[in-house]
Amino acid sequence: MAIILCLVAGLLPVIITPGLLFYFDVTPKVLVVLLGASAALLAGVFRKTSLSIPGRLFGFAVLFQIAALVAATAWSTHPALSFTGSNWRRFGTVTQIAVLLLALAASAVLARRREALLWLTRTVAASGCVISVYAILQYFGADFFLPAASYRAGEGAFAIVRPPGTLGHADYLASYLLCVFFSGLALRRIEERRILRLAGLGCALLSSIAVILSGTRSAWIGLLAGSLFLLWRLRPAIRREHGYGAAVVLILVAAFYFLPTGARLRARVHWIQEDTFGGARLLLWRDSARMGSTRWLTGYGPETFGSEFPRYQSVELARQYPDFYHESPHNIFLDAFSEQGIPGLAALLFITAAGLRGAWRASPRGAGIFWAGMFAALLVSVQFSAFIIPSAFFYYLAIAVLAASSDALGRPAVLPRWMPAAALVLLPLFLWFGAKLAVAEASRVAVSRDLAGHNVDGAVSHYRTVLQWRVPGSSYDLSYSRQMAQYSGAEKDSLRAMKAGAQAMEAAVRAVNYSELRQNAFYHLAILFAGRNDAPNTEKALRGALSAAPNWFKPHWSLAQLFVLTGHLESARAEAEIAVDLDGGKHPEVSRTLSQILGRVNSGNK
């Protein structure tokens, strides 16, 4: 089982499958976690394990979290979505249970086999080195898998690059690389061979460079917090050569920053100075807390934030970020509170408390103290981001390591009593979920491949397979409808264009019922109806978008334009005034629409 744990820890962050699975940076990570958890259940790693008090505390905290997840899913506003998870991170109840079971397995294995911690630390460092090099190459414009335009923003001197590595976004990459940094430091301390100690130091150096180049403030603060924790606990003797080394590093960093190589990093610093308080964070946190308080006991259900939050988004937040989708509160505790209520928040706090206790008691002699520094860094970083599968896995894994690193072992854990029943239920569930997800995602990729070859019939056939195999709660209908609509507008063959257009409308109608982004699904449906000059259904779809996201300016703006075309100028003015207010002056065309409507109203009054 130690080998399986190392495989999961090494493969999970690095695996991506562009061209094979539709959500190529999410779904393969789900499959790794499901297979790893299945292997843990089959191996029965929890049997006859003696755990310390921190180990038992962590075990009870994990069981509490699983119970809170199941309860929140049962009372969810979208139970199927909560069960299987959203497309953007697939962190529903099934996946979260798999991650928690792997962390529990890690705690049990490391309690029995202390030497496994060395191999686990080596694995994290080695895998992270590969990702660090890839992220550094992305910063300099070399990417073998992803289009560079997808993680670049701005123009000219203010153009920035936020390398995502293999984690989907720079924020998630940087949080993960904190684990690599402290794993490298651990190897620098505990390895016996000099070449391995130097390799560990190299891993720490590479990962720290990648963290800096990611432009992620939360990870910068986390790196500082974890390093200060280690300095406080280890109290290393500072010699003259350390000062010389620090001076050399500072000179190199300054040279990189001020030379042309640091242009994009300087641009990122400029963006940060223009946005000192982290963009929407403060308003987002306030609105998320208000949302959670309305269902404080049960929450809205795991993975429901993206679909439920637009109804609670304040006018102030809408004005500042009028056309922005907030997929999470960007704080793990607010995420737990809004989606799982007080029980979910308490469970996460309980698990975190186990980590804090383990970090406080970690021995400064071995690798455990560096995992404590890792946990401290992660704890700070995830206050400004959401859990995705890799970040959640390593957060819980760090706590599991700390829970298992106590010298004093206690009585045997009682976990074998529920292991057979858990395996009987969870093994088929994990295999069913993974198989359906893999087939649906591969078929969705085949749809895009067919359309690229102008094979509309093949695309339709493959999408039928998607519908047959997709997991409950999630939907590919919105992306499929948009793709078909775009193809229909560009296709010169009238028959193929007609077939694609019919598919676009059919999928758009399904999307308003099944998509996790109902406001976007309704708005897209309105566009399709408008293309058919169907004013009544266009208005109905726009009203649906507003019911899902009342403070989104775009449906109000579109309604104003629709009312102009149908001759309802007073209604058009009312909607345009709301749109201008909610837009906050971010889009000049919205204000221009209101001016044009007022001009027509005034000329009509004369």
Side-chain angles (χ1 to χ4, degrees):
M1 182 56 209
I3 296 175
I4 294 172
L5 185 63
C6 288
L7 285 174
V8 172
L11 191 59
L12 178 62
V14 76
I15 187 170
I16 54 174
T17 55
L20 297 178
L21 299 174
F22 191 63
Y23 292 100
F24 59 86
D25 55 353
V26 176
T27 305
K29 301 181 191 304
V30 177
L31 299 179
V32 168
V33 164
L34 293 174
L35 289 173
S38 299
L41 289 169
L42 286 172
V45 296
F46 310 112
R47 65 180 183 274
K48 297 180 182 178
T49 298
S50 294
L51 297 176
S52 62
I53 291 176
R56 292 199 297 272
L57 177 67
F58 178 63
F60 291 137
V62 167
L63 295 181
F64 183 19
Q65 178 69 289
I66 291 175
L69 282 168
V70 173
T73 302
W75 276 277
S76 172
T77 54
H78 305 282
L81 176 62
S82 293
F83 188 65
T84 59
S86 60
N87 288 327
W88 78 272
R89 65 173 176 172
R90 195 61 70 183
F91 199 54
T93 300
V94 176
T95 311
Q96 289 196 52
I97 289 175
V99 169
L100 289 166
L101 285 178
L102 279 171
L104 198 59
S107 179
V109 168
L110 294 170
R112 290 203 307 265
R113 299 184 58 188
R114 299 302 176 85
E115 71 277 7
L117 180 57
L118 174 60
W119 285 101
L120 182 62
T121 306
R122 287 171 174 171
T123 300
V124 174
S127 176
C129 272
V130 175
I131 298 174
S132 297
V133 171
Y134 180 40
I136 293 170
L137 290 174
Q138 286 179 324
Y139 176 86
F140 288 105
D143 199 325
F144 311 107
F145 302 106
L146 307 177
S150 65
Y151 49 86
R152 291 180 178 175
E155 296 179 354
F158 300 110
I160 65 170
V161 58
R162 302 288 310 280
T166 54
L167 278 295
H169 192 277
D171 289 355
Y172 307 133
L173 166 73
S175 289
Y176 159 71
L177 289 177
L178 296 176
C179 305
V180 182
F181 175 79
F182 289 99
S183 295
L185 290 184
L187 296 179
R188 174 68 179 85
R189 174 76 174 270
I190 65 177
E191 287 286 5
E192 296 181 357
R193 298 176 61 186
R194 185 171 183 270
I195 189 171
L196 295 179
R197 292 198 300 272
L198 289 176
L201 186 61
C203 285
L205 180 62
L206 279 173
S207 59
S208 63
I209 292 171
V211 168
I212 293 171
L213 296 182
S214 73
T216 305
R217 285 172 284 185
S218 59
W220 296 349
I221 299 171
L223 186 64
L224 177 62
S227 300
L228 290 176
F229 173 84
L230 282 184
L231 288 173
W232 172 62
R233 289 297 309 276
L234 295 176
R235 292 181 174 85
I238 298 177
R239 297 189 293 270
R240 181 177 300 176
E241 53 266 31
H242 293 153
Y244 293 152
V248 170
V249 170
L250 288 175
I251 292 171
L252 291 175
V253 170
F256 174 86
Y257 182 79
F258 290 106
L259 288 173
T261 52
R264 293 188 178 96
L265 189 57
R266 293 196 301 273
R268 174 58 179 162
V269 171
H270 174 78
W271 281 39
I272 291 172
Q273 291 172 341
E274 293 288 313
D275 190 13
T276 308
F277 294 103
R281 288 290 195 279
L282 296 180
L283 289 174
L284 177 60
W285 289 347
R286 185 199 66 183
D287 292 351
S288 299
R290 183 166 60 88
M291 169 186 166
S293 66
T294 60
R295 282 175 64 106
W296 59 270
L297 183 59
T298 62
Y300 286 86
E303 286 279 63
T304 58
F305 185 87
S307 59
E308 294 290 344
F309 178 73
R311 296 191 294 114
Y312 294 92
Q313 179 178 327
S314 64
V315 173
E316 295 91 339
L317 181 56
R319 286 175 183 151
Q320 288 194 25
Y321 297 88
D323 205 17
F324 192 84
Y325 168 61
H326 302 282
E327 76 283 352
S328 81
H330 290 277
N331 177 282
I332 62 168
F333 296 112
L334 281 173
D335 202 355
F337 177 54
S338 61
E339 295 189 345
Q340 300 174 52
I342 292 293
L345 175 60
L348 183 56
L349 288 172
F350 192 8
I351 291 178
T352 302
L356 290 172
R357 187 182 190 278
W360 183 265
R361 293 172 174 264
S363 171
R365 294 190 299 272
I369 190 64
F370 294 94
W371 282 81
M374 179 196 304
F375 172 68
L378 282 175
L379 181 59
V380 171
S381 179
V382 294
Q383 301 313 305
F384 306 93
S385 64
F387 268 158
I388 60 169
I389 292 172
S391 58
F393 172 79
F394 283 100
Y395 184 83
Y396 294 133
L397 180 63
I399 300 174
V401 169
L402 296 173
S405 62
S406 174
D407 293 331
L409 295 178
R411 58 183 174 80
V414 297
L415 297 179
R417 296 178 182 177
W418 57 265
M419 271 294 297
L424 187 65
V425 173
L426 293 177
L427 269 175
L429 175 63
F430 291 161
L431 296 176
W432 166 83
F433 184 65
K436 286 183 72 71
L437 198 59
V439 174
E441 293 268 318
S443 299
R444 183 64 183 86
V445 170
V447 170
S448 300
R449 190 164 53 243
D450 288 334
L451 288 179
H454 299 277
N455 182 7
V456 177
D457 291 334
V460 173
S461 176
H462 277 116
Y463 197 72
R464 290 197 191 101
T465 304
V466 173
L467 293 176
Q468 291 170 357
W469 283 85
R470 70 176 181 87
V471 296
S474 64
S475 170
Y476 304 88
D477 291 325
L478 180 56
S479 65
Y480 176 68
S481 179
R482 286 171 171 169
Q483 190 175 22
M484 279 295 188
Q486 183 179 11
Y487 178 87
S488 177
E491 176 57 54
K492 296 180 180 180
D493 184 274
S494 58
L495 181 59
R496 286 199 293 260
M498 188 181 304
K499 287 181 179 179
Q503 283 291 302
M505 179 59 76
E506 182 181 326
V509 171
R510 282 197 307 268
V512 299
N513 294 316
Y514 297 108
S515 176
E516 62 207 54
L517 304 175
R518 294 185 67 246
Q519 67 274 23
N520 289 356
F522 272 115
Y523 191 79
H524 172 69
L525 182 61
I527 292 174
L528 296 185
F529 278 131
R532 297 185 175 190
N533 295 318
D534 187 343
N537 278 320
T538 301
E539 180 180 352
K540 184 178 178 181
L542 290 173
R543 298 288 186 194
L546 288 176
S547 69
N551 290 328
W552 186 20
F553 83 96
K554 195 169 282 186
H556 290 288
W557 179 40
S558 298
L559 275 173
Q561 296 174 83
L562 176 64
F563 287 145
V564 169
L565 294 175
T566 57
H568 299 85
L569 293 183
E570 288 299 329
S571 297
R573 180 175 66 176
E575 293 294 339
E577 287 174 346
I578 296 173
V580 167
D581 180 48
L582 294 175
D583 179 59
K586 298 297 192 299
H587 300 88
E589 59 270 26
V590 179
S591 299
R592 190 161 51 246
T593 298
L594 177 59
S595 299
Q596 293 169 352
I597 293 172
L598 290 175
R600 295 186 63 170
V601 170
N602 292 333
S603 63
N605 290 336
K606 293 179 181 179

